[in-house]
Amino acid sequence: MLERLRRGTGRKIFAAFVVVLVAGGAVAPVVSGGTGTATWDGTVHLAGSPTNGTTYQYSLDDPSAVSNLTVNLTGVTSTEVDTDSGSVTASDTQSVSIAGTRPPSANLTATVPSDVAYRETATTSSAQQIARYDNENGPESGEVALTDPPSTISSINITASGGSGEPQRITMDIYLVREGPDGTYGEGTQVASGVNPPQAGASKSYDVGSFDTQGSGTVTAEFVVTGASSTTYDSWLEVSTASASQDLMSLGGTLKQSAAYGVGFVGTGDINVSASADDGATASFGSLTTGESATVPFNLSRSASSWSFDAPSGVTLGYTLNVTERSQTVDPGIQLNGHEVRVDGTLADGETVSLSPNASWIQGGENTVEVEVGDGSLSADAPTPKVSLNYSHRAASTQSVTYTGEAWSERWNTSRTWASDREDASLTIPYSDTVVAARDVTLLVNGSEVAPASTTFDGTSLRVGLGDVQPGTTTRVVANGTKVRTVNGSITVTDPTPAGQQLNTEFKIIDRSPGFRIEVGSTSKSRWLHYLTSESWNDANDYSIVTKDAAQSIYLPNAPAGGTARARALALHVEPQHDVRIHVAQPGSLVLDVQPGTTTGDDVTFEYAGASSGTQYELVSLDRDGYRIDSDTGATAVLLGDDSAETLQIRPVNSSSSTSSLVPAGGGGGAPISEKLDPRANPYALLAMVGGLMVVLVAIAEYKPHDAIPTWVVIPVMIPVTIIVIATQSPGTIRLLIAGQLGGAVKQVGPALLLLGGATGTYLVYKAAQKWLGPDRTTLNIETGGKK
């Protein structure tokens, strides 16, 4: 009880300040909108594999808001592929030049034509006759051999030298034999008959079908002269040959070397191919068939300058040489707005170093980052050196935003046009009031709605992820913070309370399930008792449960989905000992239906901030004909009751009521908490029972037969009987007596005690007067016959 007195007194002092904010009446005030600071944030990220002199630029609003500046450089091996292709005769050399700082990688492709042309190579030009018709001696034949022939020979090509004497007049047959030259003609297989050689300085091809060499190491072509179109003059077929030590057989002489530059053999089959370079690098293709291509690695070094094929003499091959040159990262660094920072030496591929530029080098407006790499020693044809750059920092920009503050919501609408690239851009909204959740978050990018990358609400601020943005992009965020929380359902506000006006918010129920309620304990008006009006459904039966920590929930047990209502608030603060359930039955008359919450027997303090200064207010029970439970005078009336199930009203003392009449009660000002009237006391019944009890006791005392009941017995009996009557009709009196609150107990049963005391005193005076003022009485004893 003393604690309730302390709390009640404190509440009165606090409420005296609160009432200044109330314009009057029974409705609580609301909070208006205001100005807040939104923070746009993002990561400036420059990345790539730039070369020396590459520059990056970006714009920045506030250099003081830069954080987490990091610059990492990673070694990159830059490459350049040089390609050379063409055709080359076996043993002919090809030049190559390799640049860069690292050994190259190379591969060589060899292609064998579909018909391989074999021709012995001559190093010194000379001439040799291989067929002749002499006008004196007649026909003279010759032969030419091919070593390492293909599997099949399909044609023979003859190129006559310029010194030939009318060779076209000669008629000859051609034979192929699987052996070396031996001076014997007309053996083997005849592959051509009656053919003429080409003119001097010309070439001619002879189709020989498909001659199978059958793996022979040497094949010889025999040119057997059979006649001439004119025998007046000598005619001969002469071809260029090798040096004298490698000359062909002289007609009628001995063959020393099977070589002829002017005779070629064309065929198909497998040949062995390899390649070598002047730095010792080799590449082997193995056996290739006609029309086949193969690619193999060629382990050239940077010192290689030439290479050649190793294949049968005279074979022409196609080739493609790909050389990948390599350059490493040397002496990398950056210049940030003209301030240089770099490292010396070479970075291996994938090796990372961190630079430490000063964040103060970053400036407002445009910033320039220039990349440096290389020491200038590479040749012009070398791969350009590169470095992998990873430059980043966070950059924040604040913006003053005027937001709309409503009773149940706080609405933000702000936009920004980005001057340069940002990664992981975001907007942070710091709600100014207590917001329990963020809802209706809308992101517009260049006017088109897109889904936010993320939304995070930490109970105070909302962070909206915007993703990556490009220069010139305009982002707009519309976000509403709700100050109420729904349980087992959801609502949407259809008519918010404008700033500066009393709470009058209309909402629509989207969905609901049993236990549906709206928690308003986080709003700025959570201390005021809430109620609903204009419900669109019948039998609304809404109520609020208020707890001792000022949490408050509006329960809507019969509300349907799709229903609408308006939420209002009284300028009445309710503070239970634990919790209490209240339905505002008549807002204008401050009529409240009170029931216990989860606990029964709680004391409840009612602070009415709409009181008129100097007016005495009372808390009465309408269920008991307006019995006054408590009263108080002041700018804020602090009235004390409990959570007994009954209908209460707060009203001025002695005011008329449409629901009940006032019952006079003693005392002018507000009674102390320890002396409040018990809400369950019934003074009329108590007076009636005490009065009736006294009548009965007096009757017994006056009309007792033969003094069977003495007076000294009657009076003590009246005391416990009276206590029983008081305990049944005013139980709070006994509780106050036990708690030592004598004054409160007396106040509870004051009228009954006056009646009892007055009646008892009157009766005792009556008995004394009767004894002292009445006639004397003498007892006479008469004895008759020995008897009295």
Side-chain angles (χ1 to χ4, degrees):
M1 188 63 71
L2 290 175
E3 174 62 19
R4 294 187 56 204
L5 176 60
R6 182 189 64 79
R7 289 188 295 146
T9 304
R11 288 291 184 180
K12 291 181 181 181
I13 296 172
F14 173 76
F17 291 98
V18 175
V19 76
V20 176
L21 302 176
V22 182
V27 183
V30 299
V31 176
S32 63
T35 300
T37 300
T39 302
W40 299 91
D41 193 9
T43 297
V44 175
H45 188 199
L46 310 179
S49 296
T51 59
N52 184 58
T54 301
T55 60
Y56 298 85
Q57 293 179 328
Y58 66 93
S59 296
L60 201 64
D61 293 337
D62 184 6
S64 65
V66 169
S67 61
N68 299 328
L69 173 60
T70 59
V71 180
N72 291 326
L73 300 179
T74 301
V76 175
T77 299
S78 56
T79 61
E80 182 177 284
V81 178
D82 287 343
T83 300
D84 181 29
S85 62
S87 60
V88 62
T89 301
S91 300
D92 285 352
T93 60
Q94 298 293 310
S95 64
V96 63
S97 176
I98 301 174
T101 62
R102 296 286 297 164
S105 63
N107 59 71
L108 178 63
T109 299
T111 302
V112 179
S114 57
D115 288 326
V116 183
Y118 293 82
R119 176 174 292 171
E120 295 295 337
T121 301
T123 58
T124 301
S125 178
S126 62
Q128 193 64 246
Q129 295 180 14
I130 61 171
R132 181 184 178 89
Y133 190 90
D134 189 277
N135 62 351
E136 294 182 358
N137 298 320
E140 296 180 9
S141 301
E143 56 189 353
V144 174
L146 174 67
T147 58
D148 295 327
S151 300
T152 303
I153 297 175
S154 59
S155 65
I156 297 175
N157 298 327
I158 299 177
T159 300
S161 68
S164 294
E166 301 292 337
Q168 70 274 11
R169 294 185 300 189
I170 298 175
T171 302
M172 61 182 183
D173 297 333
I174 301 175
Y175 290 82
L176 289 175
V177 60
R178 303 175 185 90
E179 63 181 17
D182 57 4
T184 303
Y185 305 106
E187 57 184 340
T189 302
Q190 184 178 4
V191 294
S193 176
V195 298
N196 305 112
Q199 297 180 5
S203 297
K204 199 169 186 179
S205 178
Y206 304 93
D207 185 0
V208 298
S210 181
F211 180 79
D212 187 356
T213 61
Q214 297 181 1
S216 176
T218 303
V219 173
T220 299
E222 298 176 347
F223 303 102
V224 180
V225 179
T226 59
S229 60
S230 174
T231 59
T232 303
Y233 303 99
D234 291 340
S235 300
W236 64 90
L237 172 61
E238 185 179 82
V239 295
S240 298
T241 65
S243 62
S245 62
Q246 295 179 333
D247 61 350
L248 289 172
M249 171 196 71
S250 299
L251 296 178
T254 303
L255 180 71
K256 297 181 179 179
Q257 175 65 32
S258 58
Y261 178 72
V263 178
F265 297 81
V266 177
T268 61
D270 297 337
I271 60 174
N272 291 319
V273 179
S274 62
S276 60
D278 59 352
D279 67 344
T282 59
S284 177
F285 297 89
S287 180
L288 299 180
T289 189
T290 51
E292 182 181 1
S293 292
T295 301
V296 296
F298 201 8
N299 57 335
L300 299 174
S301 67
R302 289 193 297 129
S303 64
S305 61
S306 65
W307 67 277
S308 63
F309 275 123
D310 297 321
S313 177
V315 173
T316 299
L317 298 173
Y319 74 91
T320 298
L321 175 62
N322 291 313
V323 179
T324 301
E325 300 170 326
R326 303 176 185 275
S327 295
Q328 286 182 295
T329 300
V330 178
D331 300 343
I334 66 167
Q335 285 194 32
L336 175 56
N337 293 326
H339 301 278
E340 184 183 58
V341 56
R342 66 190 304 172
V343 294
D344 295 330
T346 300
L347 292 183
D349 197 31
E351 180 184 359
T352 300
V353 295
S354 296
L355 302 183
S356 300
N358 197 319
S360 65
W361 297 347
I362 299 175
Q363 60 194 21
E366 187 174 88
N367 290 268
T368 300
V369 177
E370 182 178 353
V371 177
E372 299 175 332
V373 60
D375 57 7
S377 63
L378 289 177
S379 61
D381 61 343
T384 303
K386 299 178 181 180
V387 63
S388 177
L389 171 68
N390 194 330
Y391 172 105
S392 67
H393 64 75
R394 295 295 290 181
S397 176
T398 58
Q399 182 181 28
S400 180
V401 178
T402 299
Y403 61 85
T404 301
E406 299 167 356
W408 282 9
S409 301
E410 187 171 302
R411 304 177 186 272
W412 288 67
N413 187 337
T414 182
S415 66
R416 172 186 172 87
T417 299
W418 300 84
S420 57
D421 291 311
R422 291 292 187 276
E423 291 183 1
D424 189 27
S426 67
L427 170 67
T428 300
I429 295 175
Y431 287 112
S432 65
D433 207 341
T434 304
V435 171
V436 298
R439 58 179 173 82
D440 304 333
V441 178
T442 302
L443 171 62
L444 301 175
V445 178
N446 293 329
S448 299
E449 183 175 349
V450 300
S454 63
T455 55
T456 304
F457 178 69
D458 62 5
T460 302
S461 300
L462 170 68
R463 183 183 185 277
V464 182
L466 311 178
D468 299 341
V469 295
Q470 306 298 319
T473 300
T474 298
T475 54
R476 177 177 294 277
V477 174
V478 179
N480 299 331
T482 180
K483 302 175 185 179
V484 298
R485 179 183 286 110
T486 56
V487 179
N488 296 333
S490 61
I491 64 172
T492 182
V493 175
T494 56
D495 184 15
T497 300
Q501 296 186 18
Q502 306 296 344
L503 177 63
N504 188 11
T505 297
E506 182 184 64
F507 62 90
K508 180 179 181 180
I509 301 170
I510 303 303
D511 58 78
R512 54 100 58 218
S513 59
F516 174 48
R517 64 184 183 272
I518 303 173
E519 296 180 351
V520 298
S522 296
T523 67
S524 60
K525 296 162 289 301
S526 62
R527 71 184 312 268
W528 308 110
L529 182 62
H530 285 58
Y531 64 96
L532 300 182
T533 64
S534 305
E535 298 96 329
S536 65
W537 61 93
N538 297 324
D539 192 22
N541 196 29
D542 58 271
Y543 58 89
S544 293
I545 290 184
V546 184
T547 64
K548 65 179 180 180
D549 55 1
Q552 184 175 178
S553 298
I554 306 173
Y555 284 76
L556 299 84
N558 299 325
T564 60
R566 286 188 175 274
R568 306 296 300 273
L570 296 176
L572 178 65
H573 174 54
V574 179
E575 183 180 355
Q577 187 178 359
H578 294 96
D579 57 2
V580 64
R581 167 176 165 171
I582 300 178
H583 167 68
V584 180
Q586 297 180 27
S589 302
L590 287 179
V591 176
L592 314 174
D593 290 337
V594 179
Q595 294 186 36
T598 57
T599 60
T600 303
D602 278 3
D603 293 330
V604 181
T605 301
F606 299 89
E607 294 182 16
Y608 178 43
S612 299
S613 180
T615 302
Q616 184 180 16
Y617 288 83
E618 61 183 354
L619 176 66
V620 300
S621 171
L622 300 185
D623 292 345
R624 291 179 283 148
D625 296 329
Y627 178 76
R628 180 190 297 174
I629 299 173
D630 197 8
S631 63
D632 190 23
T633 301
T636 298
V638 180
L639 305 169
L640 307 174
D642 60 23
D643 64 355
S644 299
E646 58 185 334
T647 301
L648 305 179
Q649 183 182 23
I650 297 173
R651 65 190 185 188
V653 173
N654 298 326
S655 66
S656 60
S657 172
S658 59
T659 57
S660 63
S661 58
L662 291 174
V663 175
I673 295 177
S674 60
E675 297 181 359
K676 74 168 188 174
L677 303 181
D678 190 279
R680 293 164 292 180
N682 189 331
Y684 301 103
L686 182 61
L687 287 172
M689 293 192 69
V690 171
L693 176 62
M694 294 193 64
V695 170
V696 172
L697 292 176
V698 170
I700 294 175
E702 289 299 314
Y703 299 101
K704 59 183 182 294
H706 307 291
D707 287 335
I709 303 176
T711 301
W712 62 270
V713 173
V714 174
I715 294 177
V717 169
M718 291 173 62
I719 295 175
V721 173
T722 301
I723 292 173
I724 294 173
V725 171
I726 293 174
T728 56
Q729 295 302 308
S730 182
T733 304
I734 306 302
R735 175 171 56 87
L736 290 172
L737 285 172
I738 295 173
Q741 302 294 326
L742 180 60
V746 171
K747 186 172 182 178
Q748 292 274 23
V749 293
L753 291 178
L754 289 175
L755 176 62
L756 180 61
T760 302
T762 302
Y763 178 72
L764 293 176
V765 170
Y766 162 75
K767 293 302 291 181
Q770 185 183 49
K771 177 178 181 180
W772 297 101
L773 299 179
D776 293 338
R777 299 191 180 196
T778 302
T779 302
L780 178 64
N781 294 325
I782 301 174
E783 294 182 2
T784 56
K787 295 181 180 179
K788 290 185 177 181

